[in-house]
Amino acid sequence: MTVFLWFVLGVALVPAMPCTRLEGISRRTVPFHELLDYKCFNDTVYNYTTFWLEEGRGVLYVGARGAIYALNLSDISDGSTKMISWEASLAQRTDCLGKRRNTETECYNHVRFLKRFNGTHLFTCGTFAFSPRCAYIDMETFTLSSTFEGKEKCPYNPRVGYTGLIVDDEMFTATLYEFRGTVADIKTNLYQRSLRTNDALPRWLSGADFVESTLVRESANSLVGDDDKIYFFFTENLSEEMYTYDGLPMVTRVARVCKSDEGGMRTLQRKWTSFLKARVVCSIPEYSFHFNLLKSVWVLDRGDWRSTVFYAVFTSQWGNIEVSAVCQYTISAVRKTFEGPFKEDQESSTRWSRYFGIVPEPRPGSCITDDFRKKGFKTSRDLPDLVLDFVKKHPVMAEDVLPVGRRPLFVRKNVNYTKIAVDTVTGVDNMQYDVLFIGTVDGWLHKIVKVGSHMHAIEEIQVYKEPQPVESVVISRTQRMVYVGSQSAVIQLPRASCSKYTLCQDCILARDPDCGWDGEACRQITGNENRSQLTQDIVSGNNGCLTSSADVPSQVRNKKVTKGSTILLECQFRSNLAVSKWRFNREDLATREAEHYSLERQALLIKAALVSDSGEYSCYAEENGLEYLVVLYMVSVVESSQPEVPPSHLAQISSGREFLYLTIIVFLGSVAVVTSILAIYLVCSPSKRGKYQVQLCRPSLIELQNVSGSCGPRSEGGSGEEDHQVGFLKIIPGQAPSTNSLHNNRTADLELPPPPPPPPLPP
């Protein structure tokens, strides 16, 4: 309970953390309908989440559910798309359903692996309705080879964590294998060998959720003849260390194996002899708040493996807390941890703790180096059993891998990050800047630049109209484009949309390394152009624009109102970091009566306007120590809403009104005369006479009679029956029989008295 309270307290105190950078606001918000150069691709399938980028061929390969696509990098929607249909058969789907799997989501072929195998072919694997299969793809003809068994290379379940890569014709994968998905393992198997982790106690992995894997060519220019290494990033259960790390049940790890590992001769046969793992920490140390769920990792290769950095996205495992963090790690910090002390299982209440005993030689878990070879250990199969037994029992390192600065680069509240991609951009100042593109769980993409130790959130972009998780992000340096994948579609966006910054100040304040001001417009910087005429300030974000340009308004508006009215002057600018600053006749409004003016967000509200309020109102956007004019209002306040009219115009209006009134009177009189004549005709015409009864009213009784509707004269010899053959319903109050009469004569016909003679005709 105490641990949970510390977690809640840590989140509650996040806004007050003076040492932790909270990049909680992106400078600019771009909703879906404002996207520029937006391109989209989707087909009749789903799950466009497995990407492989071939810059040289200008192709983005996309693995989806039951299909693989080859998209044109320059325009993914241009219609030149090639497709390979790779569906699970009906029999396979039926068999999957029979194993009690979800036929709506799981019993399909979800492509999970798609990478280059050699110069001519790709290698791909899919879940194939819980019966994994693999195949090769000819990149020239874009055709699929015959499929073969993939159970040791691909997970059965499309929802479990999975990562893999191909290194020198060998495949390294990590996932939850087997049909039930309960066995976490790191394997290598393609042709020459097959290795896996140890499954005996103590187990090396505990319910791992694998996120990413990468190769680091540490053999390049190595002074000790070191081997290349494969690093795997994952989150796993911490059940065996329940009393460690403040009782956190989940922990993020990085594991390492040597590329040339061949397993042991007697001990650890067909098992890794170089497997070691260490905890990866991303936390706010002063509050003991840990971001312990790893979501995504991007490995940034700067050309030399010694300068390799890892960017990682984390969230908290507590589902009711929406907070994400990004931490950065260096390869030197990772190597230092794996060269440090080990842990061992003490089989006590403290369980795993630091090992203080003697470490055998050569050092357990190390790759074969020149020093090993001099001692006769040519391969891992030559290592002594004492060394291999130590590795088997001590797979965990005692020290943690700490991030740069020992804390997150930035923390974002109310956001769940899902995927990250990073690129290095050279600014006008010839400095290198890391630009991060981070996808969210609701379909947005955040663009953030790292400026020294500071992170500046350039913009947040709504990539998908309907909320959905961003599951893949890749960046093309040749096309200067970003590609985003989700369940529904692939989206292509320019790495920067500089044209939306219409002012020099707006362009500079954006601090986007891809954008520069050329004196007339903000435009994207290309790789080889002359940059001497471009203005850009990434470091401070407020230098380079002429002071005079800040006083040129982008909008000028006129407003005329009456005295006593309320005036609303709007000031719209796109920066979420700027604040509005109003001036009246070039004087700050802060020095005038506060009760007469009020600021409603960015707008200015003038209450009960006076004639003296007429004048020039200017709205400035103030941001990062820089001001620029956004809009200028020319306001005029008049005494009355009735405009003054000359006497001659009044005379014309008066005569016009008199004519209108006479016309209306004549018209109404004519209507009255016509109506009177029509009424007299209807009353006097014999054919319009009806039957009348004049009786005292008895409102409680009603008699129903028919009134003739015939237009001709009645026949003198006609009977009453003939007179009532056609007629309308007439209601005569007081002529219905009483209730008692009706009760006494219920079976007899009621004989009505004959109607009285019609009244005499008028003379």
Side-chain angles (χ1 to χ4, degrees):
M1 184 65 180
T2 303
V3 174
F4 179 74
L5 289 176
W6 269 109
F7 268 77
V8 175
L9 180 62
V11 173
L13 292 176
V14 163
M17 296 173 186
C19 300
T20 300
R21 297 172 182 87
L22 284 167
E23 314 301 326
I25 301 178
S26 296
R27 181 180 183 272
R28 192 180 179 98
T29 300
V30 183
F32 180 80
H33 65 273
E34 293 183 7
L35 291 179
L36 301 176
D37 300 325
Y38 167 92
K39 294 179 175 61
C40 175
F41 170 81
N42 60 3
D43 202 356
T44 57
V45 302
Y46 298 95
N47 195 35
Y48 305 87
T49 56
T50 304
F51 284 5
W52 179 252
L53 185 66
E54 281 286 340
E55 293 267 26
R57 292 178 175 268
V59 177
L60 175 65
Y61 294 99
V62 179
R65 194 182 77 178
I68 301 173
Y69 298 91
L71 307 181
N72 182 4
L73 268 186
S74 60
D75 186 353
I76 63 174
S77 62
D78 67 353
S80 63
T81 301
K82 298 178 181 178
M83 185 193 79
I84 295 175
S85 179
W86 199 20
E87 295 274 6
S89 66
L90 180 59
Q92 291 167 324
R93 293 185 59 194
T94 303
D95 181 61
C96 174
L97 181 61
K99 297 175 182 176
R100 297 185 178 181
R101 309 312 304 188
N102 189 338
T103 185
E104 295 297 326
T105 58
E106 298 176 338
C107 294
Y108 292 89
N109 181 30
H110 294 261
V111 177
R112 299 297 306 274
F113 188 90
L114 182 61
K115 295 187 184 297
R116 174 194 279 264
F117 179 72
N118 55 29
T120 59
H121 286 78
L122 302 174
F123 187 77
T124 183
C125 295
T127 60
F128 234 82
F130 268 74
S131 182
R133 307 286 294 176
C134 297
Y136 295 94
I137 297 175
D138 188 319
M139 289 188 286
E140 189 66 32
T141 61
F142 199 59
T143 54
L144 194 72
S145 70
S146 300
T147 64
F148 50 88
E149 183 69 53
K151 294 181 180 179
E152 296 296 313
K153 306 173 183 65
C154 181
Y156 289 70
N157 194 327
R159 296 178 297 178
V160 302
Y162 173 62
T163 182
L165 67 163
I166 294 178
V167 179
D168 301 334
D169 296 339
E170 290 191 77
M171 186 176 186
F172 297 81
T173 59
T175 188
L176 296 177
Y177 295 95
E178 298 186 354
F179 180 82
R180 291 177 297 174
T182 58
V183 180
D185 209 345
I186 297 174
K187 297 183 178 182
T188 176
N189 48 57
L190 203 56
Y191 298 123
Q192 301 176 1
R193 55 183 171 147
S194 177
L195 296 179
R196 56 176 300 175
T197 57
N198 181 47
D199 55 358
L201 293 176
R203 291 188 175 89
W204 290 357
L205 297 169
S206 177
D209 181 16
F210 293 96
V211 174
E212 189 59 72
S213 57
T214 185
L215 166 71
V216 179
R217 296 281 188 183
E218 298 183 27
S219 64
N221 302 318
S222 174
L223 298 178
V224 298
D226 204 353
D227 191 14
D228 297 335
K229 299 179 180 66
I230 315 296
Y231 292 91
F232 296 88
F233 296 88
F234 56 97
T235 298
E236 70 172 346
N237 298 327
L238 203 61
S239 57
E240 76 277 10
E241 302 177 49
M242 200 61 187
Y243 299 96
T244 311
Y245 302 127
D246 299 328
L248 302 183
M250 301 294 291
V251 64
T252 293
R253 303 278 197 190
V254 57
R256 186 197 73 179
V257 296
C258 300
K259 188 192 73 172
S260 301
D261 195 335
E262 297 180 8
M265 177 63 72
R266 290 177 297 273
T267 304
L268 295 180
Q269 290 183 5
R270 301 175 67 95
K271 306 288 177 61
W272 298 104
T273 65
S274 57
F275 176 89
L276 295 173
K277 68 179 181 179
R279 187 189 185 200
V280 179
V281 173
C282 183
S283 68
I284 303 172
E286 57 267 32
Y287 295 98
S288 298
F289 185 85
H290 291 263
F291 300 92
N292 52 337
L293 294 185
L294 181 66
K295 291 298 182 180
S296 180
V297 175
W298 186 268
V299 183
L300 190 60
D301 183 2
R302 301 187 187 277
D304 183 358
W305 69 265
R306 296 173 182 82
S307 59
T308 300
V309 295
F310 308 97
Y311 283 92
V313 168
F314 295 84
T315 62
S316 169
Q317 81 177 85
W318 309 112
N320 61 336
I321 299 174
E322 283 194 354
V323 58
S324 298
V326 175
C327 281
Q328 182 189 30
Y329 307 88
T330 63
I331 188 64
S332 60
V334 176
R335 284 170 56 88
K336 180 181 177 182
T337 298
F338 284 117
E339 293 169 359
F342 296 89
K343 277 189 175 183
E344 67 174 345
D345 188 356
Q346 301 285 356
E347 297 184 359
S348 64
S349 60
T350 57
R351 297 302 301 268
W352 289 79
S353 59
R354 183 167 180 166
Y355 173 75
F356 291 98
I358 298 175
V359 178
E361 289 290 339
R363 180 179 170 85
S366 299
C367 299
I368 302 298
T369 63
D370 292 340
D371 185 55
F372 281 48
R373 297 182 187 97
K374 290 178 182 179
K375 296 177 180 179
F377 307 118
K378 305 296 183 181
T379 69
S380 62
R381 296 170 62 85
D382 300 326
L383 294 173
D385 290 339
L386 180 63
V387 171
L388 298 181
D389 189 63
F390 186 92
V391 170
K392 180 179 178 180
K393 296 179 180 179
H394 302 79
V396 185
M397 308 310 298
E399 295 180 351
D400 300 333
V401 179
L402 299 178
V404 175
R406 295 179 174 265
R407 62 182 62 251
L409 291 176
F410 69 96
V411 176
R412 192 73 182 262
K413 291 185 65 179
N414 302 319
V415 171
N416 281 330
Y417 283 140
T418 57
K419 209 70 177 177
I420 185 173
V422 185
D423 196 13
T424 301
V425 181
T426 303
V428 173
D429 55 4
N430 291 321
M431 298 292 291
Q432 299 286 320
Y433 298 98
D434 291 347
V435 179
L436 289 62
F437 293 89
I438 312 176
T440 72
V441 74
D442 52 359
W444 288 70
L445 191 68
H446 293 187
K447 183 178 181 181
I448 303 168
V449 60
K450 184 176 183 293
V451 186
S453 60
H454 173 69
M455 305 296 292
H456 172 66
I458 299 173
E459 60 186 347
E460 53 189 17
I461 307 167
Q462 185 183 7
V463 181
Y464 294 96
K465 187 175 183 180
E466 299 297 330
Q468 56 192 293
V470 170
E471 300 189 44
S472 297
V473 182
V474 295
I475 304 170
S476 171
R477 291 184 175 180
T478 58
Q479 300 294 328
R480 308 178 75 82
M481 293 287 179
V482 180
Y483 305 88
V484 182
S486 72
Q487 291 292 319
S488 66
V490 181
I491 305 300
Q492 174 185 342
L493 296 170
R495 199 168 65 179
S497 298
C498 306
S499 61
K500 62 191 172 190
Y501 305 118
T502 57
L503 299 175
C504 176
Q505 290 80 8
D506 202 18
C507 183
I508 298 300
L509 287 166
R511 302 171 76 176
D512 191 332
D514 283 308
C515 298
W517 185 263
D518 64 1
E520 296 181 355
C522 190
R523 61 182 180 84
Q524 189 168 3
I525 303 172
T526 58
N528 300 321
E529 69 174 317
N530 182 6
R531 305 184 178 194
S532 60
Q533 302 301 318
L534 295 175
T535 301
Q536 186 187 75
D537 184 13
I538 307 301
V539 176
S540 60
N542 56 13
N543 294 315
C545 295
L546 297 176
T547 307
S548 58
S549 64
D551 294 325
V552 178
S554 57
Q555 305 173 65
V556 178
R557 300 176 183 176
N558 295 317
K559 209 170 190 67
K560 187 174 183 179
V561 298
T562 59
K563 180 181 177 181
S565 302
T566 298
I567 307 174
L568 179 64
L569 304 180
E570 295 181 332
C571 182
Q572 298 179 349
F573 43 82
R574 299 303 308 273
S575 174
N576 298 323
L577 303 179
V579 294
S580 60
K581 185 175 182 180
W582 285 89
R583 292 173 182 167
F584 174 58
N585 293 332
R586 303 182 182 274
E587 178 186 348
D588 288 344
L589 279 178
T591 62
R592 298 173 67 88
E593 304 94 354
E595 64 276 4
H596 192 51
Y597 302 95
S598 65
L599 290 177
E600 302 291 339
R601 295 189 179 183
Q602 301 171 3
L604 175 66
L605 189 68
I606 305 174
K607 307 170 185 176
L610 304 174
V611 176
S612 59
D613 290 323
S614 300
E616 178 185 283
Y617 290 84
S618 52
C619 175
Y620 286 80
E622 186 176 22
E623 178 184 354
N624 194 24
L626 194 64
E627 286 186 4
Y628 58 94
L629 184 58
V630 177
V631 61
L632 181 67
Y633 286 93
M634 302 302 297
V635 176
S636 176
V637 182
V638 297
E639 286 285 351
S640 174
S641 60
Q642 294 292 338
E644 296 182 1
V645 183
S648 57
H649 290 188
L650 290 175
Q652 294 178 5
I653 293 174
S654 177
S655 59
R657 287 178 179 174
E658 291 178 359
F659 176 77
L660 178 61
Y661 293 157
L662 291 174
T663 303
I664 293 174
I665 293 171
V666 170
F667 173 76
L668 292 177
S670 302
V671 171
V673 171
V674 172
T675 303
S676 301
I677 295 173
L678 182 60
I680 294 172
Y681 169 75
L682 291 175
V683 172
C684 298
S685 174
S687 62
K688 302 299 178 185
R689 295 175 192 156
K691 298 179 179 180
Y692 301 90
Q693 284 283 5
V694 180
Q695 297 286 343
L696 294 175
C697 294
R698 283 184 289 177
S700 60
L701 300 175
I702 298 177
E703 178 189 7
L704 304 182
Q705 294 183 1
N706 283 332
V707 180
S708 174
S710 173
C711 297
R714 287 180 57 185
S715 172
E716 294 183 0
S719 66
E721 184 179 351
E722 291 176 351
D723 292 341
H724 292 82
Q725 286 179 353
V726 180
F728 298 102
L729 186 64
K730 179 180 179 182
I731 302 176
I732 304 177
Q735 293 301 307
S738 66
T739 305
N740 294 334
S741 175
L742 289 174
H743 179 73
N744 296 331
N745 301 285
R746 187 170 297 175
T747 57
D749 293 332
L750 181 63
E751 295 183 2
L752 299 177
L761 294 176

